[in-house]
């Protein structure tokens, strides 16, 4: 199946043509049939000679109902543009053409209808002139009469060719169904309809209802009136939802694949060629899919702007928007979404710099350009932007860094390490969390990517801290170095004469200073409150081997010329390190 919007200005001729092609009345309301005026969207379908099914979304032609028209053409990939031979090109024809051009619709068929009432050549020439320079300039044209049937066979052939020319939809893509109608059916509950442009819907599937992310379940599916277990794009589809009242899914709502889309309220956009942000009103209506939301326009330069939407929409890079002047039919421009989740503009000159960035941003989502623009991004967010071929999450928790940003991060980390060493010389390196914050990284698991860069030159993460080359041990303050030198002289005379807490305090050696001395290899911690020289354990083993084995703590205390306060934790440390073992109740043997 493929879907076309039946656009144009002449409602009675357009609806009559759809009726002649499909055998179905597209106007759903009695008032529409009575007045010969399409007010809301109509739907019909037919099977062509090649077996292909084509569905029509018949949109209103009158200018008063332009918002309804825009809701119908938004998700549709092709158009059957209808002009009446007896009316010719009309102002509302230009409105519809402007909308289709803004959406980038380039597939379609031009139909000159009511050819039984007037020769169609003049209307055809007018339409060709109007279409010149637009994406629909070269579409095939057919002159028909729904009354006599003349040209209908040729039109059906052109529709078949159109279906073959349309790009194939991806049935595995993430679903985004723009709701264009919602109602209730007794015994079934809430039903919504829309055009499915990509992906596949299946019964039992969970869906999110945008923009608030409420969950519902697909209870049942129909396409062209037939019950289906699954429907793949491109197709008209009716979805019976479980778990949501009909008032929560009005026209303009979306059904999306859970977790794959992000609501956007401030997209950055690029206007169509020839348009200028200076020509935009301060407030516009933004049409996307079947949705219409008001927005404030913040120009960034002549071609780029930021839209502050009054209601968030699930947007991706490359989405096409129609910008309409509120309360009027004028469509100043179409726009393409370049960034659905842009950074804040807070600093002086930020808008100008942002415009410079957007000027080189492609309107097709691309991994390299998105990482280059953002510096860092999560794989889930990249997929939500529409980036294809996103790599697996890996060891970084799904975060990816722009390779070009890593050298700058290394410079910042080096500076942060130097500043930390200057500010707090007793602590080696930065805690991992402090390093993450200094680099403004979203996850500490990105630090190994930074440290692996050649410019990092030996910096590493050790025991929860990021240290520089050589372990990052800073230079000890002068008073600490002097105190340790004094202790070294003391230990040279009596290696196991540990200073008391009061003596350490007099020397200005608190807990942090002592820990720094241990890391620097100047002292060793024997036990709580007991500090000796760096080679104390080796010296103790050498001394204790001279004793008859096994020996008691008392014998060791006397032999080492120390106190019980020192010898007991020293013997315990030797045992823990495998340098001695217990023998009997009170004996020790040096290994």
């Amino acid at each position: 199946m493929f879907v076309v919007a039946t656009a144009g200005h002449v409602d009675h001729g357009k609806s009559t043509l759809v009726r002649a092609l499909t055998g179905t009345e597209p106007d759903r309301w009695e008032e529409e049939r009575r007045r010969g005026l399409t007010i809301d969207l109509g739907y019909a379908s037919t099977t062509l000679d090649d077996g292909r099914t084509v569905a029509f979304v018949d949109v209103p032609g009158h200018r008063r109902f332009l918002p309804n028209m825009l809701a119908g053409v938004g998700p549709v990939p092709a158009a059957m543009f209808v002009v009446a031979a007896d009316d010719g090109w009309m102002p509302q024809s230009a409105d519809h053409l402007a909308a289709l051009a803004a959406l980038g619709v380039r597939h379609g068929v031009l139909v000159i209808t009511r050819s039984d009432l007037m020769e169609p050549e003049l209307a055809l020439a007018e339409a060709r002139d109007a279409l010149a320079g637009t994406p629909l300039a070269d579409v095939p044209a057919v002159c028909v009469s729904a009354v006599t049937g003349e040209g209908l066979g040729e039109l059906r052939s052109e529709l078949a060719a159109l279906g073959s020319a349309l790009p194939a939809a991806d049935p595995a893509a993430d679903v985004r169904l723009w709701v264009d109608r919602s109602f209730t059916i007794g015994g079934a509950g809430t039903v919504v309809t829309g055009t499915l442009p990509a992906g596949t819907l299946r019964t039992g599937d969970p869906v999110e209802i945008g923009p608030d992310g409420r969950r519902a379940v697909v209870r049942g599916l129909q396409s062209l009136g037939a019950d289906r277990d699954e429907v793949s794009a491109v197709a008209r589809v009716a979805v019976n939802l479980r778990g949501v009242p009909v008032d929560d899914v009005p026209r303009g709502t979306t059904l999306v694949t859970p977790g794959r889309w992000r609501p956007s309220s401030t997209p950055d956009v690029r206007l169509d060629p020839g348009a200028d942000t200076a020509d935009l009103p301060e407030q516009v209506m933004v049409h996307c899919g079947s949705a219409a939301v008001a927005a404030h326009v913040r120009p960034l330069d002549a071609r780029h702007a930021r839209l502050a939407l009054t209601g968030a929409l699930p947007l991706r890079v490359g989405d096409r928007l129609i910008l309409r002047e509120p309360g009027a039919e004028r469509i100043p421009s179409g726009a393409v979404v370049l960034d659905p989740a842009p950074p804040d503009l807070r600093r002086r000159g930020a808008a100008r710099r942002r415009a410079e960035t957007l000027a080189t941003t492609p309107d097709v989502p691309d991994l390299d350009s998105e990482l280059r623009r953002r510096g860092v991004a999560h794989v889930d967010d990249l997929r939500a932007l529409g980036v294809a071929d996103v790599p697996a999450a890996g060891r970084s928790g799904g975060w990816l860094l722009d390779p070009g940003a890593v050298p700058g991060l290394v410079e910042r980390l080096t500076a942060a390490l130097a500043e930390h060493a200057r500010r707090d010389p007793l602590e080696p390196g930065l805690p991992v969390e402090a390093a993450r914050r200094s680099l403004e990284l979203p996850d500490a698991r990105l630090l190994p990517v930074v440290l692996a860069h050649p410019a990092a030159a030996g910096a590493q993460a050790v025991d929860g801290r990021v240290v520089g080359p050589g372990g990052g041990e800073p230079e000890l303050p002068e008073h600490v170095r002097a105190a340790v030198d004094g202790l070294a002289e003391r230990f040279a005379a009596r290696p196991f004469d540990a200073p008391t807490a009061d003596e350490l305090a007099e020397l200005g050696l608190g807990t942090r200073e002592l820990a720094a001395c241990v890391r620097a290899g100047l002292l060793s911690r024997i036990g709580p409150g007991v500090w000796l020289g760096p080679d104390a354990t080796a010296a103790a083993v050498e001394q204790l081997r001279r004793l008859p084995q096994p020996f008691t703590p008392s014998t060791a205390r006397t032999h080492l010329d120390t106190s019980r306060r020192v010898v007991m934790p020293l013997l315990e440390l030797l045992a823990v390190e495998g340098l001695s073992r217990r023998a009997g109740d009170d004996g020790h043997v040096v290994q």
Side-chain angles (χ1 to χ4, degrees):
M1 183 200 305
F2 63 101
V3 184
V4 299
T6 307
H9 71 273
V10 53
D11 284 326
H12 51 291
K14 181 163 52 62
S15 298
T16 301
L17 174 61
V18 173
R19 191 182 310 116
L21 283 169
T22 66
T24 302
E25 174 60 67
D27 290 332
R28 294 181 291 117
W29 309 114
E30 176 60 33
E31 183 181 358
E32 292 179 307
R33 293 189 287 271
R34 179 176 57 81
R35 297 172 61 184
L37 179 69
T38 301
I39 297 172
D40 204 355
L41 304 179
Y43 312 99
S45 65
T46 188
T47 300
L48 302 174
D49 295 340
D50 64 355
R52 192 191 310 268
T53 299
V54 56
F56 298 95
V57 180
D58 189 26
V59 302
H62 198 284
R63 304 185 87 180
R64 283 194 304 160
F65 306 114
L66 184 63
N68 286 352
M69 177 268 177
L70 297 177
V73 301
V76 174
M80 185 170 72
F81 202 99
V82 181
V83 177
D86 54 337
D87 285 338
W89 191 262
M90 300 288 283
Q92 51 265 47
S93 303
D95 297 336
H96 286 209
L97 178 59
L100 293 170
L103 291 171
V105 176
R106 56 189 178 88
H107 297 281
V109 179
L110 171 63
V111 181
I112 308 300
T113 191
R114 297 164 64 86
S115 296
D116 56 311
L117 299 181
M118 182 174 288
E119 290 298 323
E121 285 77 10
L122 179 58
L124 177 58
E126 286 182 330
R128 281 297 189 197
D129 287 343
L131 293 177
T134 75
L136 295 173
D138 298 323
V139 298
V142 182
C143 300
V144 305
S145 168
V147 174
T148 67
E150 180 183 358
L152 289 181
E154 183 183 355
L155 175 56
R156 293 175 70 88
S157 296
E158 289 294 350
L159 289 171
L162 172 62
S164 299
L166 288 173
D170 181 4
D174 300 330
V175 167
R176 180 178 57 177
L177 179 73
W178 296 93
V179 173
D180 55 30
R181 187 180 174 214
S182 60
F183 50 92
T184 58
I185 295 179
T190 299
V191 177
V192 301
T193 68
T195 299
L196 183 65
T200 299
L201 279 169
R202 300 176 179 83
T203 56
D205 278 355
V207 291
E208 284 182 358
I209 300 172
D212 58 5
R214 179 176 177 179
R215 292 289 184 102
V217 175
V218 176
R219 182 179 182 182
L221 291 169
Q222 281 193 351
S223 185
L224 304 183
D227 290 338
R228 302 279 293 275
D229 291 328
E230 67 176 52
V231 178
S232 294
V234 173
R236 287 292 302 173
V237 60
V239 186
N240 183 198
L241 294 173
R242 180 188 299 121
V244 57
V246 69
D247 291 342
D248 288 356
V249 281
R251 175 176 291 174
T253 310
T254 53
L255 305 184
V256 300
T257 303
R260 292 292 192 173
W261 299 81
R262 302 284 188 272
S264 172
S265 56
T266 54
D268 283 348
V269 302
R270 176 182 295 141
L271 302 190
D272 287 344
D276 194 311
T277 55
D279 297 328
L280 293 179
E282 187 175 341
Q283 300 289 331
V284 297
M285 290 300 298
V286 175
H287 296 263
C288 184
S290 61
V293 297
H296 173 81
V297 179
R298 179 176 180 177
L300 302 175
D301 66 5
R303 286 286 306 281
H304 301 93
R306 176 162 296 182
L307 305 177
L309 307 178
T310 57
L313 297 174
L315 300 178
R316 286 184 169 176
V317 177
D319 280 342
R320 298 288 311 180
L321 309 178
I322 295 174
L323 308 183
R324 180 173 64 87
E325 188 172 335
E329 296 79 26
R330 191 173 81 92
I331 297 175
S333 179
V336 61
V337 175
L338 298 181
D339 193 346
D344 292 336
L345 301 177
R346 293 178 178 174
R347 297 180 180 177
R348 185 179 180 86
R352 174 185 53 79
R353 291 189 295 272
R354 182 63 178 164
E356 292 171 353
T357 298
L358 293 174
T360 60
T361 298
D363 57 13
V364 176
D366 170 78
L367 178 62
D368 291 340
S369 65
E370 288 299 327
L371 282 179
R372 188 163 53 248
R373 182 151 49 111
R374 300 174 189 279
V376 60
H378 196 275
V379 293
D380 291 343
D381 294 327
L382 290 169
R383 293 188 185 104
L385 290 169
V387 176
D389 301 324
V390 177
R395 296 181 179 178
S396 60
W399 291 99
L400 301 177
L401 272 176
D402 170 29
V406 176
L409 292 172
V410 170
E411 289 183 13
R412 290 169 59 184
L413 180 60
T414 301
L417 288 170
E419 172 61 19
H420 176 77
R422 183 194 64 79
R423 190 176 61 248
D424 193 352
L426 295 176
E427 291 290 341
L430 277 170
V432 164
E433 177 58 19
R436 181 199 69 78
R437 289 197 304 268
S438 72
L439 301 184
E440 300 178 283
L441 295 176
D443 196 302
R445 285 174 289 185
L446 285 169
L447 280 172
V449 180
V450 178
L451 296 173
H453 194 274
Q460 56 187 314
V462 179
D463 296 331
R465 306 182 78 88
V466 178
V467 299
E473 188 60 44
E475 187 70 24
L476 294 175
E478 185 176 343
H479 79 278
V480 175
R481 176 65 69 175
V484 173
D485 289 345
L487 288 177
E489 294 179 7
R490 173 175 177 155
F491 294 144
R494 298 183 61 194
F496 306 102
D497 182 18
T500 65
D502 290 341
E503 289 174 322
L504 291 172
E506 288 180 9
L507 292 171
L509 298 179
T511 302
R512 296 177 70 246
E513 289 80 6
L514 290 166
C517 291
V518 171
R519 290 193 297 267
L522 301 176
L523 292 177
S524 59
R525 182 181 181 275
I526 305 303
V530 180
W531 307 85
L532 294 175
D535 55 354
T537 54
V541 170
E542 182 180 355
Q543 293 270 3
L544 294 174
R545 277 203 180 107
R546 299 172 184 173
L547 293 174
Q549 309 291 313
F551 56 86
T552 66
S554 178
T555 303
R557 176 181 61 78
T558 302
H559 186 71
L560 297 177
D561 190 19
T562 187
S563 65
R564 184 176 178 81
R565 178 178 75 89
V566 174
V567 79
M568 295 308 295
L570 178 60
L571 292 175
E572 184 176 346
L573 179 62
L574 294 179
V576 169
E577 293 183 353
L579 300 174
S580 70
R581 60 179 174 82
R582 296 295 298 267
D585 292 338
D586 202 29
H588 295 263
V589 175
V590 173
Q591 300 284 62

